[in-house]
Amino acid sequence: MGFYNPFPALTDQASAINFLVTQMDATIQQAVTNNGGYFVSVKEQMASDTASYLPNPKNIHPSEVGYNMIAEQFYAAWQA
């Protein structure tokens, strides 16, 4: 699974956080695909609705809705 921005509420540091997330996501994707695995991206989907997926600014873990979205991404990748 790729990486997502776990700190959407930190708007002052958004540029730096987004850069790090993009770099980490790309590194994870490369490692997974180089070893024959299936990479599941969640970065864009998670960012599309942080109010629902990451509602608590003091908690980096997704809400139940967020975890369901992640599961849907895995299911879609599995079906492909």
Side-chain angles (χ1 to χ4, degrees):
M1 180 179 114
F3 201 70
Y4 62 88
N5 179 358
F7 307 110
L10 298 179
T11 55
D12 291 345
Q13 295 88 3
S15 179
I17 292 170
N18 287 331
F19 173 78
L20 292 172
V21 167
T22 299
Q23 295 301 310
M24 290 176 67
D25 199 51
T27 300
I28 294 167
Q29 182 176 13
Q30 183 178 18
V32 168
T33 55
N34 285 350
N35 289 288
Y38 296 96
F39 178 76
V40 177
S41 179
V42 296
K43 181 175 67 169
E44 290 82 15
Q45 189 70 20
M46 188 68 79
S48 72
D49 190 2
T50 57
S52 295
Y53 300 145
L54 293 163
N56 185 347
K58 296 181 181 181
N59 187 347
I60 65 170
H61 298 95
S63 64
E64 184 176 344
V65 173
Y67 278 118
N68 284 333
M69 179 278 298
I70 291 170
E72 290 169 5
Q73 299 302 307
F74 271 88
Y75 186 71
W78 176 70
Q79 288 213 314

